Amino acid sequence: MKYIGMPMGMWTLFGRSFERNLLTGFGLDRDSAKAVAAKAKPRYKEIIAGLPEFEKGDRFKMNIAGCALLAAFVLNMPKRPDVRRLTAYYSDSMMTPAMKWFCRKSGKSKFTKKDISSMKATERLRAADRNPYSWNMVFYPYPDGSGYEARFTACGICTLMRELELYDLVPAMCRLDHTMAEAGGTSDFVREYTLASGGPYCDCGYKKKRKGNGRKRK
């Protein structure tokens, strides 16, 4: 995969955030955080260069770049983090003001005809059949019309993190699905299984928020 383009944009958008949160998330001083970031950038480029190009229409290229970014920092931290602390670190680093804006914008189009059409197109693509760093997904609309589930049977993050010997840390990334759905403001995220925790698949369920949710009763 070429670094020029979206992967470079990911570093530009999130690199400073990942560096800054080394201070609050792991107690590093500024010089140590800068040293980690300085080593992480070329490692990130190296990981990206080892990935194949994604097919046109594959919506998960950003997901694998985010995984590569986190992995590059983890591989250069002075101490391997545990899942609990890494979960908070990844969420804090990814949920920048720009990302929160993106989630709100995406939330407005959730459950629209365009959104449903995009989900069905992803189901048909089955990109992981040809690219082990992508995803295969099955689309399940809820019979009662309350939303839908995206069920993943192949996960590019699992593939890459296993190769980098970081597979035990994958659950730290899974939690971001909840956080992004919450930031979107139009759906409640529900999940029973993840591949990383030994489940048969990763289920990403999105239920429409009822009007008035969160309002205080008089």
Side-chain angles (χ1 to χ4, degrees), residues 30-89:
R30 291 187 180 279
D31 288 342
S32 296
K34 285 184 179 296
V36 170
K39 293 178 181 178
K41 188 171 184 179
R43 187 70 174 99
Y44 173 64
K45 290 182 177 180
E46 180 184 345
I47 294 170
I48 291 295
L51 299 173
E53 289 296 338
F54 276 45
E55 296 175 59
K56 184 178 180 180
D58 190 333
R59 62 192 290 164
F60 298 111
K61 186 174 181 179
M62 182 179 291
N63 298 61
I64 203 67
C67 176
L69 184 57
L70 178 64
F73 272 85
V74 170
L75 290 168
N76 287 286
M77 290 180 184
K79 181 179 179 181
R80 185 186 179 92
D82 59 45
V83 171
R84 181 185 62 81
R85 295 183 74 180
L86 190 64
T87 299
Y89 170 75

Side-chain angles (χ1 to χ4, degrees), residues 212-218:
N213 272 11
R215 293 180 182 176
K216 294 181 179 179
R217 293 182 179 179
K218 295 182 179 180

Side-chain angles (χ1 to χ4, degrees), residues 33 69 81 96 103 172:
L69 184 57
T96 61
C103 290

Side-chain angles (χ1 to χ4, degrees), residues 72-157:
F73 272 85
V74 170
L75 290 168
N76 287 286
M77 290 180 184
K79 181 179 179 181
R80 185 186 179 92
D82 59 45
V83 171
R84 181 185 62 81
R85 295 183 74 180
L86 190 64
T87 299
Y89 170 75
Y90 184 61
S91 177
D92 291 343
S93 299
M94 289 297 294
M95 295 307 290
T96 61
M99 176 61 88
K100 290 176 181 178
W101 173 86
F102 172 79
C103 290
R104 289 193 298 271
K105 183 178 180 182
S106 297
K108 292 178 180 179
S109 64
K110 201 73 172 175
F111 311 116
T112 61
K113 289 182 178 180
K114 183 178 180 180
D115 177 47
I116 301 301
S117 177
S118 177
M119 297 299 289
K120 290 180 177 179
T122 298
E123 178 182 44
R124 292 191 299 270
L125 185 62
R126 293 189 59 84
D129 287 352
R130 298 166 299 281
N131 178 1
Y133 302 97
S134 189
W135 281 253
N136 280 350
M137 184 203 81
V138 181
F139 175 67
Y140 290 100
Y142 295 138
D144 61 0
S146 62
Y148 61 75
E149 176 183 308
R151 184 176 295 181
F152 295 89
T153 56
C155 169
I157 285 174

Side-chain angles (χ1 to χ4, degrees), residues 20-40:
R20 183 173 60 251
N21 283 302
L22 290 170
L23 281 69
T24 55
F26 298 104
L28 274 64
D29 58 43
R30 291 187 180 279
D31 288 342
S32 296
K34 285 184 179 296
V36 170
K39 293 178 181 178

Side-chain angles (χ1 to χ4, degrees), residues 163-176:
E163 290 181 359
L164 296 173
E165 299 183 354
L166 299 174
Y167 187 71
D168 59 304
L169 300 178
V170 172
M173 301 190 71
C174 299
R175 178 64 194 177
L176 194 68

